Amino acid sequence: MSETIRVGLIGLGMMGRHHARVVRETEGLELVAMADAMGDAHKVAGKLPLYSNVSDLIKHGIDAAVVAVPTGLHEEVGLELAAAGVHTLVEKPIAASTEAGQRMVDAFEAANLVGAVGHIERFNPALQELRRRIDEGELGRVLQISTRRQGPFPARIADVGVVKDLGTHDIDLTAWLARSEYVQVAAQTTLASGRQHEDMVVAVGKLANGIITNHQVNWLSPMKERVTVVIGEKGAFVADTLTADLTFHENGSVATEWASISNFRGVTEGNVTRYAFPKAEPLKTEHEAFRDGILEIDQRYVTMREGLQTLRIAEALIESAREGQSVRI
């Protein structure tokens, strides 16, 4: 492989056009060809070759591929790329089922290839700054991680429900922030749009290190919200990943003399600080991590094995809602 990685893009829908732009902007990557059986609806190919299938794209000569096709096609496309020796970044979730995801993990690991999953929230600057501050002990012991991810229904999603499409973001970022895996989950879901998949989920969970979690995810809300709250011994961090803002609400050090209020609050309200830090585009940071993984510079990318574990938790949430009981992982 030359120093410049030749990249092929598969799938030119909503996410595909963003990947095309970012690959073109990322040093060390060269977008050389694209493939989509439905053509180029967003006119992103320009003068680049556009193929109707993955086989022809592979024959064009690529070192790496970005896969932004519907979830149900991830396994088929991924296995073809693995067999051809192509490093691959596939959009989340890794696959439509854990069985399919496991086959992808096995194929890429056996071929000694970089297999990455696009869990982009890990690369949001607010969450990266939050994780750094947690690691440095600014919260003390972490007690709870809560997320809210809601907004209008995305018509482009047809083959999975909100748990696998949006909920996987929160599952992955929670385990990543906490550096711990889920051991138990419970969930309730709602089907309101007439589709076969769930539109809303409320879930609770527990991680191996004792942190408790709760997640509110839906695409039935007219307001768009992407919030992560981490509560610890010393206060709470609030990350808004839409604006990449991070705020710290610290426990107060000033004693409350009004006894009834002191008893009710438990802790007192302290200073509130909104941090300033560099805010790189998450998708570009994700592509840089994929590039650096291929070049063996570091392993910041989300591995397919990690993506598989996230999908496993998502399926446990769906099972919990269906059976009406908590599920141990």
Side-chain angles (χ1 to χ4, degrees):
M1 186 189 303
S2 65
E3 292 186 1
T4 300
I5 299 169
R6 292 169 55 85
V7 179
L9 173 61
I10 305 164
L12 302 181
M14 186 65 69
M15 279 305 300
R17 65 177 179 174
H18 293 302
H19 281 294
R21 171 182 57 82
V22 171
V23 171
R24 285 175 165 132
E25 295 174 353
T26 303
E27 182 180 357
L29 301 181
E30 180 185 2
L31 186 60
V32 298
M34 303 182 182
D36 193 315
M38 303 301 292
D40 186 8
H42 298 290
K43 307 300 180 185
V44 297
K47 296 181 180 180
L48 293 181
L50 175 62
Y51 299 103
S52 62
N53 59 74
V54 178
S55 298
D56 288 342
L57 177 67
I58 292 171
K59 291 175 184 176
H60 183 87
I62 58 174
D63 304 312
V66 177
V67 177
V69 299
T71 304
L73 297 175
H74 285 187
E75 179 189 11
E76 177 185 344
V77 173
L79 293 182
E80 187 170 357
L81 291 167
V86 178
H87 302 288
T88 299
L89 168 63
V90 61
E91 267 298 336
K92 60 82 203 155
I94 182 175
S97 68
T98 53
E99 294 80 9
Q102 184 66 63
R103 289 189 287 269
M104 290 177 66
V105 169
D106 293 342
F108 279 89
E109 289 185 352
N112 196 30
L113 294 167
V114 170
V117 183
H119 284 291
I120 194 170
E121 288 287 50
R122 287 200 194 187
F123 302 97
N124 188 288
L127 291 179
Q128 292 199 331
E129 180 72 5
L130 170 54
R131 190 183 198 228
R132 182 185 70 79
R133 291 180 178 276
I134 290 174
D135 287 348
E136 291 182 357
E138 294 187 19
L139 270 184
R141 183 166 66 94
V142 176
L143 306 172
Q144 182 185 42
I145 300 177
S146 304
T147 66
R148 300 193 306 274
R149 185 176 303 272
Q150 53 188 350
F153 176 72
R156 62 186 176 85
I157 303 298
D159 55 349
V160 294
V162 75
V163 173
K164 290 185 179 180
D165 180 60
L166 290 184
T168 47
H169 279 307
D170 296 302
I171 294 166
D172 179 74
L173 74 85
T174 296
W176 176 72
L177 284 174
R179 298 183 183 271
S180 185
E181 296 292 343
Y182 285 79
V183 295
Q184 187 170 6
V185 295
Q188 296 290 336
T189 58
T190 294
L191 286 81
S193 66
R195 301 165 68 250
Q196 63 174 319
H197 303 293
E198 76 287 343
D199 308 297
M200 174 182 287
V201 62
V202 176
V204 297
K206 188 171 186 179
L207 306 183
N209 61 4
I211 294 173
I212 58 175
T213 75
N214 70 278
H215 311 294
Q216 178 182 328
V217 188
N218 74 73
W219 49 39
L220 298 176
S221 170
M223 60 180 184
K224 190 171 184 179
E225 187 177 34
R226 303 285 188 269
V227 176
T228 299
V229 180
V230 183
I231 299 175
E233 292 176 315
K234 299 180 181 180
F237 280 115
V238 180
D240 185 329
T241 54
L242 286 177
T243 60
D245 286 329
L246 178 64
T247 305
F248 180 48
H249 300 252
E250 67 175 323
N251 292 346
S253 57
V254 178
T256 300
E257 296 182 5
W258 189 354
S260 60
I261 292 180
S262 177
N263 292 335
F264 175 73
R265 287 182 174 173
V267 298
T268 59
E269 297 175 2
N271 295 325
V272 178
T273 305
R274 184 164 66 88
Y275 297 107
F277 47 87
K279 296 180 180 181
E281 181 182 358
L283 190 60
K284 186 170 184 181
T285 306
E286 180 179 73
H287 277 280
E288 290 170 345
F290 180 46
R291 174 202 64 196
D292 292 347
I294 294 171
L295 297 176
E296 298 182 344
I297 295 173
D298 63 35
Q299 192 176 312
R300 291 177 296 141
Y301 65 90
V302 183
T303 68
M304 285 190 174
R305 187 164 290 278
E306 291 175 299
L308 176 61
Q309 180 62 14
T310 294
L311 180 57
R312 186 171 287 119
I313 304 306
E315 291 193 345
L317 292 178
I318 295 170
E319 177 189 349
S320 170
R322 183 179 62 246
E323 302 297 331
Q325 59 186 14
S326 63
V327 175
R328 294 196 64 85
I329 310 302

